[in-house]
Each structure stands twice: as C-alpha cells, then as structure tokens.
C-alpha cells in the first residue's frame, strides 16, 4: 500500500492525516543458476566476486550489442558496476563506453545469490566513432569508490590486470 503523508520539518511529527493512494505489486526478478552457452566463452574472474562466463557479440551499422553472461562467485556486500570500453587498437584511446548496473540499473550485485547467473545486454553506440579498428574491454568496479576489481588468473598474458580484452576486433567504416 502506498500512503501519502506530510510531516512538520521542524518537529518531525505528522501534519494532518495520511491518505492511502493505492496498491503496488512488486515482482521479484526470476533467478537462474543454469550456465548458458554463449557464442564466446570468456572464463574471466574478477576478484573473488564475479566471473564473466562469456558473451554474444552482434555488430550492427551504428552499434555493437553485447550480451554478457556473469556468475556470482559469492553473495556480495559491495555494489558493483560494469563497464564496456571501445578502445582504438593503435593509440589505446577510449572512444566509446557504457557503464551500467544490470537490467537498466535495477538489479544491484548486492541482490545476487552465490552461483546465480545474470545475463544482460549492453548496446554501445558507434554513430560518432571515427573510421578505424577497435578492441572491446570489459571490467567491474565498486560503485562508490570506483576501485576496479582485478582480473584473476588471466589465461592470456596480454590481458591487463583490471579488465578483460575481447579477442574480437570491431571495425568501423
């Protein structure tokens, strides 16, 4: 039930009577613990909290769409955000990015259960990206501090310590 009421800012006491506005039904997000079969397996572990199981990459005329498949390694007390960076392969310059919380900022990592799998779609617009060859980087950071989680046990030696570089190359024309 949603109720509207007024409070006196000086005393903190209710001013007048509260008025019921109506009922609101909240649906829980359906959890899944089933491991998906992504187009590309990643097996990239970030800290002790999260594993990127893999992804599906779709290139369109003016956008790159990634469906990222994450697994919680434990119940998290920290709230994390994810990022996808489009980086110039020659200069290393960041040319486009998306920073996000899954499901349009509605599913905080503090709500995930251990071993839960969360798949989320990210669209990276390319309309203003100059012609060139780019790489995609994925990472995780603490929402409040901005501190990135380290990439643990990277299989590829060229992987940076705090982000996963996709083997796919994005070319724009």
């Amino acid at each position: 039930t949603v109720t509207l009421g007024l409070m006196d800012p000086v005393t903190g006491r209710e001013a007048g009577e509260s008025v019921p506005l109506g009922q609101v039904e909240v649906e829980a997000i359906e959890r899944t613990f089933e491991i998906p079969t992504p187009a590309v397996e990643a097996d990239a572990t970030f800290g002790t909290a999260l594993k990127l199981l893999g992804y599906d990459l779709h290139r369109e005329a003016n956008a790159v769409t990634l469906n990222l498949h994450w697994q919680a390694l434990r119940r998290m007390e920290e709230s994390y955000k994810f990022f996808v960076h489009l980086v110039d392969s020659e200069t290393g310059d960041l040319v486009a990015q998306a920073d996000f919380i899954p499901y349009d900022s509605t599913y905080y990592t503090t709500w995930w259960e251990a071993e839960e799998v969360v798949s989320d779609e990210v669209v990276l617009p390319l309309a203003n990206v100059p012609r060139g060859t780019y790489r995609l980087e994925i990472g995780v950071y603490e929402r409040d501090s901005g501190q990135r989680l380290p990439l643990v046990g990277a299989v590829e030696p060229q992987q940076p310590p705090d982000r996963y570089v996709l083997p796919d190359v994005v070319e724009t024309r």
Side-chain angles (χ1 to χ4, degrees):
T1 302
V2 177
T3 304
L4 176 67
L6 299 174
M7 299 193 71
D8 184 310
V10 177
T11 65
R13 292 187 177 160
E14 191 172 338
E17 290 189 33
S18 296
V19 178
L21 297 178
Q23 299 287 321
V24 175
E25 187 174 322
V26 178
E27 288 186 33
I29 293 174
E30 188 176 324
R31 296 182 191 276
T32 184
F33 297 87
E34 201 170 308
I35 304 295
T37 307
V40 179
E41 291 185 14
D43 195 26
T45 301
F46 290 88
T48 61
L50 293 157
K51 179 184 274 190
L52 176 63
L53 299 170
Y55 61 92
D56 305 298
L57 174 70
H58 303 284
R59 171 72 167 85
E60 296 145 23
N62 288 319
V64 170
T65 302
L66 279 168
N67 193 14
L68 302 172
H69 306 283
W70 297 94
Q71 184 176 40
L73 299 177
R74 60 178 170 82
R75 178 96 177 158
M76 292 168 269
E77 294 177 13
E78 305 83 2
S79 183
Y80 295 110
K81 285 185 85 170
F82 304 89
F83 68 82
V84 174
H85 290 171
L86 186 69
V87 178
D88 187 301
S89 295
E90 291 182 24
T91 65
D93 293 341
L94 177 65
V95 295
Q97 74 181 71
D99 290 63
F100 58 95
I101 293 170
Y103 303 157
D104 293 323
S105 295
T106 63
Y107 200 36
Y108 297 93
T109 57
T110 52
W111 298 347
W112 298 16
E113 294 294 338
E115 304 300 318
E116 182 176 355
V117 174
V118 176
S119 297
D120 192 37
E121 184 178 89
V122 181
V123 178
L124 200 58
L126 300 176
N128 298 320
V129 174
R131 181 179 179 165
T133 303
Y134 301 93
R135 68 178 185 265
L136 287 162
E137 301 177 346
I138 298 172
V140 182
Y141 62 94
E142 289 183 21
R143 194 175 73 148
D144 294 333
S145 71
Q147 179 72 37
R148 289 185 181 181
L149 290 182
L151 186 60
V152 179
V155 177
E156 303 292 329
Q158 70 269 21
Q159 289 290 350
D162 60 358
R163 60 198 175 281
Y164 178 76
V165 179
L166 277 59
D168 305 271
V169 174
V170 176
E171 293 185 12
T172 57
R173 300 173 188 208

